[in-house]
Amino acid sequence: MNCIEFEARLHPYVDGELAMSEMAAAEAHLAQCVNCRGAVERARRLRQLLRRQPRETAPPEFRAMIRTRIRRSARVAAIRPWLVGTATAAVLLVVTLLPGLRPGPSLVSDLVGKHITYAQIEQPAEFASQDPRTVEAWFRQRAGLRVTVSDYSPSGIRLVGGRLAETDERKAAYVLYEKGHTLMSVFMVPASARGAELSGARVSYRGHDYLTLERRGYNTVAWTDGKAVFGLVSTLDYEALLECADRLRLDRAQRSGA
Amino acid sequence: MLEWVRSGDRGREFEETALVHLDVLYRSALRFTHNRAEAEDLVQETCLRAFRGFHRFNPGTNCRAWLLTILRNEFLKRLKRAGHEVLDSDPGDHQKDATSITDDGRTGGHPEEELLQAVLHGDVDRALKALPLLNREVVVLADLEGCSYKEIAQIVDCPIGTVMSRLSRGRAQLRQLLARLGREHGYVKESE
């Protein structure tokens, strides 16, 4: 390495950003060049001078004001998703079947856990079908369950299929959907026992109340229609989840009315 | 249609992940604007934007760089709105660095290091302020905030090679400005 070549590498050298492969040649040149050693020394002095500059900090009252604004914004802002990474996204409809189950944060956590597990396996649906009626029929024949499977295809959310599963001694049925590569979970609990004791933040959407809760980076929306408790888990944003929830609620009302 | 009655879970996470970098944002905004009120307004807007877009932040990646990118973009947007054209391409980006080690090292016959000794508090601020924005921002990020070249490249949205040439130019300009101020103080030290 000569002086011109070193000069081009002076700043990366001083900043510790020089490629390891060039380091030996740079050191060898420095060992025999007093001018370049001088240049390194000067660059270091300037760096030190700059690093010694007092580092101003944000005034406490300004910091407090920012915190307040963020909290206020968190309360009133349009609901946006907590997308975790670029995770794959399928939509999972989960129906929990054991009567008397008290749904709470632990149930939601279980469902989120299941959801994460299914998101990682290649074929999360035990019974694969894109037709809602076929999946409903499968649940009826397989476990004698009347599960309402909504059609979200107009919103680009594709039905993948259904699955029955055990969650802490509770039997649960899942209906899997996917939107592109994004995941969501919905669950239902027959509300025969102590009623729904869902926790979370209350959200009103199209005249109905829902509870939202974040677990492990996933959004959950839960509600009850008096007979059962439902929930959705996904990395999809809350608006999408609430839209799906509303659709399912309407579909169920229609079925029971029919 | 959508009523959001919600505690600040998101707000808390944002505070823990992003607001820990508030000081860096604050200092950088001051270096951009040279005006406390403007800097505070800029930081506030940056924080709110970052919060609204926090779902786009990839956890585990560099939050400081992400925030500084937002700060810078917001600042540039304001400059544009005010009719400035500060970020017209820097002609130096495409030229060989004009500053060589030999002329870099001396100023008007005085050993530059002696002159730098005379740099007083406030001189660095003044000298930085006189730098062109594109060079100033990389010097501030590298030398005052200790950012890596990679981080700087992300923040100012350019290749690492460009970061290096701007840094080289910025430091040379800064050195000359500081030397000039130092020379002044060498004779009139009580002026600051």
Side-chain angles (χ1 to χ4, degrees):
Chain A
M1 194 177 283
N2 59 32
C3 290
I4 293 168
E5 287 165 338
F6 181 79
E7 185 192 328
R9 292 162 178 81
L10 171 66
H11 291 278
Y13 177 80
V14 170
D15 292 329
E17 296 257 4
L18 195 61
M20 286 304 284
S21 55
E22 294 186 316
M23 206 60 187
E27 295 284 7
H29 175 74
L30 281 179
Q32 42 128 16
C33 178
V34 68
N35 280 343
C36 288
R37 279 205 301 276
V40 166
E41 194 47 42
R42 283 193 295 276
R44 287 201 170 128
R45 291 240 182 93
L46 180 65
R47 238 170 86 96
Q48 281 162 7
L49 174 72
L50 294 173
R51 296 254 161 136
R52 279 201 310 269
Q53 292 304 298
R55 289 157 69 86
E56 193 157 357
T57 55
E61 59 275 17
F62 177 71
R63 185 179 294 275
M65 187 272 281
I66 293 287
R67 277 221 185 89
T68 309
R69 292 293 309 269
I70 294 297
R71 283 175 189 165
R72 199 183 305 153
S73 181
R75 282 197 299 273
V76 300
I79 295 164
R80 285 176 189 271
W82 273 102
L83 292 173
V84 174
T86 51
T88 52
V91 181
L92 222 55
L93 171 72
V94 184
V95 187
T96 307
L97 302 162
L98 196 73
L101 178 70
R102 187 163 61 92
S106 65
L107 173 64
V108 174
S109 296
D110 284 351
L111 293 162
V112 169
K114 281 280 180 199
H115 169 74
I116 291 168
T117 307
Y118 293 147
Q120 288 166 350
I121 58 180
E122 204 159 312
Q123 287 181 315
E126 195 178 338
F127 174 77
S129 168
Q130 292 192 31
D131 177 49
R133 301 293 89 80
T134 309
V135 175
E136 284 175 357
W138 179 76
F139 277 115
R140 207 162 45 239
Q141 286 155 15
R142 174 76 194 269
L145 302 169
R146 288 182 54 187
V147 176
T148 303
V149 177
S150 289
D151 179 14
Y152 299 132
S153 57
S155 312
I157 298 173
R158 192 176 67 87
L159 176 62
V160 174
R163 169 183 280 274
L164 287 160
E166 296 287 333
T167 309
D168 292 345
E169 300 171 27
R170 304 165 210 165
K171 210 172 178 188
Y174 294 74
V175 179
L176 181 77
Y177 295 86
E178 64 183 13
K179 179 169 187 177
H181 293 285
T182 309
L183 273 198
M184 167 177 91
S185 285
V186 188
F187 58 93
M188 181 183 79
V189 180
S192 59
R194 286 190 279 168
E197 290 178 34
L198 285 169
S199 64
R202 274 175 55 130
V203 169
S204 175
Y205 184 78
R206 293 184 186 158
H208 294 285
D209 281 346
Y210 298 91
L211 288 160
T212 61
L213 195 69
E214 277 158 28
R215 277 284 177 277
R216 298 167 70 181
Y218 287 81
N219 294 332
T220 73
V221 168
W223 75 98
T224 177
D225 66 359
K227 294 176 191 160
V229 176
F230 304 82
L232 292 91
V233 182
S234 180
T235 54
L236 286 175
D237 64 43
Y238 279 118
E239 300 228 36
L241 293 186
L242 288 165
E243 179 112 29
C244 290
D246 187 58
R247 180 79 255 159
L248 181 56
R249 189 197 280 271
L250 284 171
D251 285 347
R252 283 191 64 88
Q254 216 166 34
R255 300 284 168 84
S256 55
Chain B
M1 179 158 298
L2 202 60
E3 195 184 315
W4 188 233
V5 191
R6 175 129 176 79
S7 66
D9 274 8
R10 271 187 60 191
R12 229 180 351 264
E13 176 132 11
F14 184 78
E15 280 182 26
E16 285 166 9
T17 313
L19 284 193
V20 291
H21 301 293
L22 189 65
D23 288 337
V24 181
L25 291 178
Y26 192 79
R27 278 195 295 273
S28 304
L30 280 173
R31 297 276 177 210
F32 275 137
T33 62
H34 310 295
N35 176 300
R36 199 162 294 274
E38 271 180 53
E40 293 192 352
D41 194 56
L42 180 61
V43 173
Q44 184 180 314
E45 183 59 29
T46 300
C47 288
L48 289 172
R49 268 177 194 284
F51 180 64
R52 286 196 292 268
F54 198 40
H55 60 285
R56 284 192 295 272
F57 172 67
N58 207 355
T61 61
N62 190 329
C63 194
R64 177 173 75 166
W66 181 70
L67 290 165
L68 285 168
T69 307
I70 298 171
L71 179 85
R72 181 180 187 266
N73 289 343
E74 182 60 26
F75 174 66
L76 297 184
K77 212 163 68 190
R78 289 176 181 210
L79 279 187
K80 222 174 190 175
R81 217 184 291 146
H84 293 278
E85 291 185 21
V86 183
L87 278 193
D88 270 358
S89 70
D90 181 349
D93 278 357
H94 310 292
Q95 292 168 2
K96 191 189 174 302
D97 194 337
T99 317
S100 78
I101 287 175
T102 41
D103 63 28
D104 187 12
R106 280 175 261 286
T107 310
H110 293 271
E112 193 179 287
E113 290 316 305
E114 273 179 37
L115 297 174
L116 284 184
Q117 300 302 315
V119 165
L120 297 177
H121 180 64
D123 282 352
V124 171
D125 283 348
R126 275 197 274 166
L128 277 171
K129 197 173 169 179
L131 289 187
L133 175 63
L134 288 179
N135 297 345
R136 182 171 77 228
E137 63 183 1
V138 293
V139 171
V140 165
L141 291 171
D143 291 335
L144 278 79
E145 297 301 342
C147 294
S148 68
Y149 289 4
K150 197 177 151 199
E151 265 184 289
I152 299 171
Q154 182 190 335
I155 296 162
V156 306
D157 192 27
C158 71
I160 285 184
T162 308
V163 171
M164 288 199 274
S165 57
R166 286 181 190 168
L167 195 53
S168 168
R169 254 192 323 278
R171 282 172 174 167
Q173 290 164 333
L174 189 65
R175 176 185 292 280
Q176 283 164 6
L177 288 160
L178 285 171
R180 194 186 305 155
L181 290 166
R183 194 159 55 240
E184 287 168 16
H185 299 316
Y187 303 103
V188 209
K189 285 203 172 186
E190 67 280 5
S191 67
E192 188 81 3

